[in-house]
């Protein structure tokens, strides 16, 4: 009888801990995007072809805009306790990183 109560309780506890570990990762993704932006800016400075340099700087500008939107969504999500805004913030941070990864 005790094990039939104990086992589900342990499983629920572990499930809750794992759920917290995979909680919203907006700040981590935003940090990664900002680091990639810095690397892309350094790489763009070394480009000699004006057309390619303009392309790179446009991608970097778009990525910076996505990160700013991500930060705003994350702050709003915290204030409103809205998971969808966290998802949007994460998606925008990932999109920003993907954009600047094309610059390299």
């Amino acid at each position: 009888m005790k094990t039939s109560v104990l086992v589900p309780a342990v499983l629920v506890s572990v499930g809750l801990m794992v759920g917290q570990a995979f909680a919203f990762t907006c700040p981590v993704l935003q940090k990664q995007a900002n680091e990639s932006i810095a690397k892309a800016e350094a790489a763009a400075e070394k480009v000699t072809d004006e057309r390619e340099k303009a392309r790179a700087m446009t991608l970097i500008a778009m990525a910076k805009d996505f990160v700013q939107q991500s930060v705003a969504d994350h702050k709003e999500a915290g204030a409103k306790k809205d998971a969808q805004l966290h998802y949007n913030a994460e998606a925008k941070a990932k999109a920003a990183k993907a954009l600047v990864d094309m610059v390299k």
Side-chain angles (χ1 to χ4, degrees), residues 24 73-74 76-88:
F24 306 111
D73 285 350
H74 177 69
E76 187 178 353
K80 291 184 176 181
K81 307 278 190 244
D82 186 358
Q84 185 62 43
L85 288 171
H86 276 294
Y87 301 141
N88 291 345

Side-chain angles (χ1 to χ4, degrees), residues 35-47 53 57 60 103-104:
E35 290 170 354
S36 292
I37 288 170
K39 289 177 186 175
E41 285 177 327
E45 291 298 321
K46 297 176 184 174
V47 175
K53 189 170 194 165
M57 296 309 289
I60 291 168
V103 172
K104 298 174 185 176

Side-chain angles (χ1 to χ4, degrees), residues 87-99:
Y87 301 141
N88 291 345
E90 289 175 356
K92 289 175 184 174
K94 287 178 183 179
K97 186 172 182 331
L99 279 173

Side-chain angles (χ1 to χ4, degrees), residues 11 13 16 32 37 39 43-44 51 53 55 59 64 66 68 86 90:
L11 291 175
S13 299
L16 291 174
Q32 291 173 349
I37 288 170
K39 289 177 186 175
R51 182 176 178 186
K53 189 170 194 165
R55 177 187 162 275
L59 290 173
K64 286 181 178 181
F66 274 137
Q68 288 177 346
H86 276 294
E90 289 175 356

